[in-house]
Structures are given as structure tokens and as C-alpha cells.
Amino acid sequence: ACSSKYVLSQMHPMWQGPLVVPGGDRQSPIDIVVRKSVFDSELKPLLTNYDPRTCQQIWNNGYSFLVEYDDTADKSTLEGGPLQDKFRLCQFHFHWGESNAWGSEHTLDRRLFPAELHLVHWNSNKYSLFEEAVMEENGLAVIGVFLKVGKRHEGLQKLVDALPAIRHKGSVVEFTKFDPACLLPTNTDDYWTYHGSLTTPPLTESVTWIVMKQHIEVSHDQLAVFRSLLFTSAEEEIQRSMVNNFRVQQPLCGRTVRSSFS
Ligand SMILES: NS(=O)(=O)c1ccc(C(=O)NCc2cc(F)ccc2F)cc1
Ligand SMILES: [Zn+2]
């Protein structure tokens, strides 16, 4: 799939027919083979500066649920790490399984986690809109954080409590004053980084991925509420549970995964 102009038709329930991805040699997610990652001492610590007042709404887009931020100014930003520019937070969302045995998009030495958080940022030094940045090689930076089932995550609960109001595809509710920094692990200095893509259509190869080494813990019950969401809108007669909304791992195609730690 590295050289061909087509990826195998992703006969995924959500997607119809073959997907044409130009080139297709830097797709995401991937399996991170820890022993093959290369330590890069030039990688800096991540510098997040999130303003909870930019949090606007939470909605069900029929594939995941998104918490969206006001990205009309540099108020909630990410810089440092592997990045040369300043990036603006536009949204965060999750991917999860129907069981705790799988659900993440990236894997560590083939190990699956029950879920994965993605914090999506776009390069506001070079572009003026997300829609522009998403088409460019250095346009996006996405932080990936693995979730494990364990103790209840107090910061996540406000978000979990809002989910019943957005059970169906297309529903939106106001969601404010949420600080996404509370979802980051305590150690954000240790991460892997590589060049990849969006993991859902249009699968554009514009993402600098930053995958945290340290996971966060959420409770079984909190994850069960994720699974109570629906892929389907209120009008559809067949309701389908929103689970397994992850893409399978893609070929590395010779890419190097760098680590910020040795
Ligand atoms: N899982 S992930 O973190 O890789 C990911 C992040 C963002 C998007 C997204 O914004 N899609 C909508 C979208 C894409 C475009 F390319 C242009 C507009 C648009 F709304 C998709 C996947
Ligand atoms: Zn995602």
C-alpha cells in the first residue's frame, strides 16, 4: 500500500468504497515499534498553553464526539516538541472499542489500548484557517494519548456527564470552561513523533503526530458512557452503537519514529 496510488478499499462500516489517497506512503495510525524508534536529543519538551475560556461546544459528528475550541486567535496553543511553529488547538476527540481489549488507533509493539485521545492543532504561523492547514505537509499537529481502564478520571467526568445530551449523530450542546490540559499525562516530556495523516477521510498527509509515552487512566464506567453514544441520527430506525471507531494500523513505508527520551 506504500507505492500504490490506492489504499485497499477500507470496507469500514462508516466508509463507502475505495479511498484514493495521493501517494499514501505516510498514513496513520501506525504500530510504534519501541526498539526501532530513534532518540533525537534536539526534540524539546512540549509547551501547551490552553485557555479553558476558548472551549465552546461538544458534538456527535457520527464518527466520534468532538470538543471544539475557538481557534480564531492564538489563545489555546501548542509549541515546542518537534514543532518549528505555533499551533492552535481546534478540537479534541477520542477513538475506542466495544470492549476494553481494543480501541486505540496507534499501538505500542502491537499492544492495543482501550481508547486513544487526539488533541488536534493547526499551524497558525503559516495558515489562517484549519481548512487551509489540513491540506499542507506541516499543517497539523495532533497529540495522541493512550487511555487505560483504572481509576476514575475526575477531569473527564464533566465531559462524560455531557454525553447523554449528544447521543445521536448531529447533536450539539454548549460546553464551556473545560481545560484540556487536565487530560494530558503528568509527564509530557516523553513522546514519540512521526509524520503521518488524518486517520479518517480525507486522510490527508498533513499531520505531525506526537504520541505520549505515559497513558491516562479512566474508569470502566466512564468508558461505558462513550459506548452509549450512537453513530446514527435520531431519525434513522436502526440505531448503531458508536464503538470501534478506529482505523487499522498502516504501513510505516520506511518512516523513522523519533523518541524524545532514551
Ligand atoms: N483522528 S485524527 O486526529 O487523525 C483527525 C483529526 C481531524 C479530522 C478532521 O478535522 N476532519 C474534518 C475535516 C478534514 C479536512 F481535511 C477538511 C475539513 C474538515 F472538517 C479528522 C481526523
Ligand atoms: Zn482521531
Side-chain angles (χ1 to χ4, degrees), residues 111-160:
R111 175 186 177 191
L112 291 156
F113 291 81
E116 184 173 333
L117 160 65
H118 290 159
L119 295 135
V120 183
H121 312 74
W122 55 273
N123 188 328
S124 58
N125 282 163
K126 290 204 161 58
Y127 310 106
S128 46
L129 285 173
F130 168 82
E131 284 72 15
E132 261 180 77
V134 73
M135 308 311 284
E136 304 297 332
E137 182 118 11
N138 55 7
L140 302 187
V142 182
I143 297 176
V145 182
F146 293 116
L147 274 64
K148 273 183 75 176
V149 176
K151 64 183 188 311
R152 181 181 141 106
H153 192 297
E154 292 311 324
L156 186 74
Q157 195 53 38
K158 179 183 175 188
L159 187 153
V160 167

Side-chain angles (χ1 to χ4, degrees), residues 2-7 19-27 135 202-205:
C2 304
S3 53
S4 76
K5 286 285 180 214
Y6 297 83
V7 294
L19 288 152
V20 173
V21 176
D25 57 0
R26 45 169 286 193
Q27 289 291 293
M135 308 311 284
L203 302 169
T204 39
E205 298 181 334

Side-chain angles (χ1 to χ4, degrees), residues 230-255:
L230 299 168
F231 281 128
T232 42
S233 60
E235 297 72 38
E236 295 175 63
E237 59 252 35
I238 312 283
Q239 299 293 332
R240 284 183 297 111
S241 294
M242 185 180 277
V243 292
N244 303 328
N245 55 357
F246 55 85
R247 190 189 192 193
V248 294
Q249 289 79 37
Q250 302 296 309
L252 191 58
C253 297
R255 285 175 282 179

Side-chain angles (χ1 to χ4, degrees), residues 93 95 105 118 199:
H93 63 274
H95 303 263
E105 295 211 302
H118 290 159
T199 64

Side-chain angles (χ1 to χ4, degrees), residues 65-234:
F65 65 90
L66 312 181
V67 177
E68 294 195 316
Y69 285 75
D70 167 19
D71 62 355
T72 55
D74 273 347
K75 287 187 196 160
S76 286
T77 58
L78 165 67
E79 48 195 316
L83 307 170
Q84 309 307 323
D85 295 313
K86 183 176 280 196
F87 287 69
R88 245 178 236 173
L89 174 71
C90 57
Q91 53 105 330
F92 70 80
H93 63 274
F94 298 80
H95 303 263
W96 60 90
E98 65 193 291
S99 93
N100 292 340
W102 63 83
S104 63
E105 295 211 302
H106 290 90
T107 50
L108 290 185
D109 294 334
R110 290 283 166 212
R111 175 186 177 191
L112 291 156
F113 291 81
E116 184 173 333
L117 160 65
H118 290 159
L119 295 135
V120 183
H121 312 74
W122 55 273
N123 188 328
S124 58
N125 282 163
K126 290 204 161 58
Y127 310 106
S128 46
L129 285 173
F130 168 82
E131 284 72 15
E132 261 180 77
V134 73
M135 308 311 284
E136 304 297 332
E137 182 118 11
N138 55 7
L140 302 187
V142 182
I143 297 176
V145 182
F146 293 116
L147 274 64
K148 273 183 75 176
V149 176
K151 64 183 188 311
R152 181 181 141 106
H153 192 297
E154 292 311 324
L156 186 74
Q157 195 53 38
K158 179 183 175 188
L159 187 153
V160 167
D161 289 338
L163 297 184
I166 58 162
R167 276 196 83 210
H168 289 100
K169 174 180 180 180
S171 32
V172 191
V173 291
E174 186 186 54
F175 191 72
T176 58
K177 294 190 284 298
F178 185 83
D179 180 4
C182 82
L183 297 177
L184 293 174
T186 47
N187 169 11
T188 60
D189 290 348
D190 293 355
Y191 57 83
W192 292 277
T193 183
Y194 76 98
H195 292 293
S197 73
L198 297 182
T199 64
T200 60
L203 302 169
T204 39
E205 298 181 334
S206 55
V207 182
T208 297
W209 278 96
I210 300 165
V211 180
M212 308 313 297
K213 178 185 175 196
Q214 192 179 51
H215 61 268
I216 60 171
E217 275 192 25
V218 303
S219 70
H220 177 88
D221 290 354
Q222 288 178 315
L223 212 41
V225 180
F226 283 25
R227 300 188 184 107
S228 73
L229 292 172
L230 299 168
F231 281 128
T232 42
S233 60

